[in-house]
Amino acid sequence: MRLGLALGYWGRGPSPDHVELAREAERLGYRSVWTAESWGSDAFTPLTWIAAHTSTIELGTAVAQMAARSPTTTAMHALTLDHLSGGRMTLGLGLSGPQVVEGWYGRPFPASPLTATREYVDVVRQVLRREGPVQVDGRFHALPHRGPDGTGLGRPLKSITHPLRPNLPVLLGAEGPKNVAQTARIADGWLPLYWSPSRPDAYGPAVGRLPEGFRVAPMARVKVCDDVSEGLLGVKTMLGFYIGGMGHATRNFHADLMARMGYEEEARHIQRLFLAGRREEAVLAVPDAFADEISLVGPRERIAERLELWRKGPVTDLLALAPDRTSLRVLAELNS
């Protein structure tokens, strides 16, 4: 099982230690480093900065939001950074949810998310393969544009720049069983959310028949500490925000996933508290058991024991989220 460093997205401002953490991860033998975006910092710019200060570690987006860019623009970002980094780029994509797509990007959330994702990946693949001009007669992504609001002058184009790697890896963030099954068909890997080694069935039957060479790269908060309950507070804070606030009361994919994992009553309670403005209570309402099974928290010996559970399943890349330098080093030693 390979290790990755997940840096996430910025909060109020850039973290002063992200570059040094990435350099330390590279020195410790981590395979990859990953950035993200929500509605603030973007995923590609920090990754480019990290690329300039490292030499061997792979560079991934986990995830770049599809609504933020047209698929050709995303492919341009990926092929550009792949060239600049000497072939280290991995493109991780995610659809996000209605709250972000419509509230931040000002675009309608697709009525058929599976179709929208499939068309998006098709365009990206065509750009990267550069076998001919990009053409898609899609429901959500049509190239050239043929709508009644166009001029009719558009024509299919082929990237001027030759991609360094036509097979640049594309991974998808997917939560629902149908989305996971499609991901296994059209992508090179999967970025699961809230992966629990003991509950793979929560993602549907496709998890049991993944293609050979398919990457499964979940994020897990890693914290070496003596007090497990205290160490889980960071996990619970993240979960309280995602379960309670990252979505509408009637449509929250993260809350739905938690429900499928056996915590439906708790997920709805967290939502109600968060949406009522009782955020601290929402965080405390996250069950320690749920936070614990999707993370690696506690003394070194406890993490070593739990790490074996992650190795037994389909996980190929464990992306360590928010580790301090000690936790980063200990995880590398335990995985060697």
Side-chain angles (χ1 to χ4, degrees):
M1 185 173 66
R2 300 178 292 258
L3 297 180
L5 168 64
L7 296 174
Y9 45 77
W10 297 354
R12 180 172 297 183
S15 174
D17 63 346
H18 275 184
V19 168
E20 289 308 313
L21 271 176
R23 289 166 63 93
E24 179 69 3
E26 183 176 67
R27 187 188 69 79
L28 290 169
Y30 278 62
R31 170 74 173 268
S32 56
V33 57
W34 303 75
T35 56
E37 59 190 11
S38 55
W39 50 89
S41 61
D42 78 283
F44 289 100
T45 308
L47 204 60
T48 304
W49 187 248
I50 290 169
H53 291 82
T54 56
S55 57
T56 59
I57 197 166
E58 290 183 6
L59 311 157
T61 54
V63 296
Q65 296 176 334
M66 291 185 232
R69 306 163 190 86
S70 70
T72 48
T73 306
T74 295
M76 290 166 65
H77 278 303
L79 72 86
T80 301
L81 185 47
D82 202 43
H83 269 292
L84 293 176
S85 66
R88 291 189 278 152
M89 178 67 197
T90 295
L91 180 61
L93 298 171
L95 192 59
S96 193
Q99 185 185 45
V100 176
V101 173
E102 297 184 1
W104 183 248
Y105 295 115
R107 303 180 59 180
F109 188 77
S112 176
L114 291 176
T115 302
T117 299
R118 188 166 58 251
E119 292 176 3
Y120 199 104
V121 172
D122 182 20
V123 174
V124 170
R125 297 281 203 199
Q126 286 193 48
V127 173
L128 294 175
R129 286 196 299 263
R130 203 178 174 274
E131 295 172 347
V134 179
Q135 297 188 71
V136 175
D137 185 19
R139 175 180 174 186
F140 300 99
H141 302 287
L143 282 90
H145 179 70
R146 301 297 189 196
D149 57 342
T151 63
L153 301 177
R155 62 186 180 90
L157 298 171
K158 183 167 65 173
S159 173
I160 296 171
T161 304
H162 291 236
L164 182 64
R165 292 183 299 161
N167 60 342
L168 186 152
V170 177
L171 279 63
L172 294 176
E175 297 179 39
K178 291 182 180 179
N179 202 347
V180 174
Q182 174 173 271
T183 297
R185 293 194 301 270
I186 69 172
D188 301 299
W190 172 37
L191 297 159
L193 187 68
Y194 310 153
W195 177 262
S196 169
S198 60
R199 300 179 193 266
D201 293 345
Y203 290 97
V207 177
R209 50 174 186 268
L210 298 172
E212 185 177 354
F214 189 79
R215 294 176 68 176
V216 179
M219 284 185 281
R221 190 176 182 91
V222 178
K223 178 70 175 177
V224 177
C225 58
D226 294 328
D227 190 328
V228 175
S229 295
E230 183 178 341
L232 289 174
L233 280 177
V235 186
K236 294 174 67 168
T237 299
M238 177 271 293
L239 287 170
F241 176 63
Y242 273 74
I243 301 300
M246 285 284 272
H248 191 267
T250 61
R251 195 168 189 183
N252 184 317
F253 302 134
H254 311 310
D256 293 344
L257 174 57
M258 182 178 175
R260 288 198 304 275
M261 295 177 74
Y263 297 92
E264 181 168 10
E265 183 177 340
E266 293 88 342
R268 305 312 170 196
H269 181 52
I270 293 166
Q271 276 189 292
R272 288 192 295 270
L273 289 172
F274 196 96
L275 295 173
R278 299 158 63 182
R279 298 190 176 191
E280 290 185 7
E281 292 179 62
V283 169
L284 295 177
V286 176
D288 280 10
F290 179 57
D292 193 30
E293 68 179 274
I294 65 170
S295 58
L296 290 164
V297 172
R300 179 189 177 107
E301 297 74 18
R302 185 176 193 268
I303 292 178
E305 180 181 342
R306 293 172 60 79
L307 197 60
E308 292 304 314
L309 297 175
W310 292 72
R311 288 198 184 98
K312 290 178 181 178
V315 174
T316 60
D317 299 76
L318 172 60
L319 311 185
L321 182 64
D324 53 80
R325 286 175 178 270
T326 298
S327 300
L328 199 71
R329 174 181 53 79
V330 168
L331 185 63
E333 292 171 352
L334 293 176
N335 196 58
S336 63

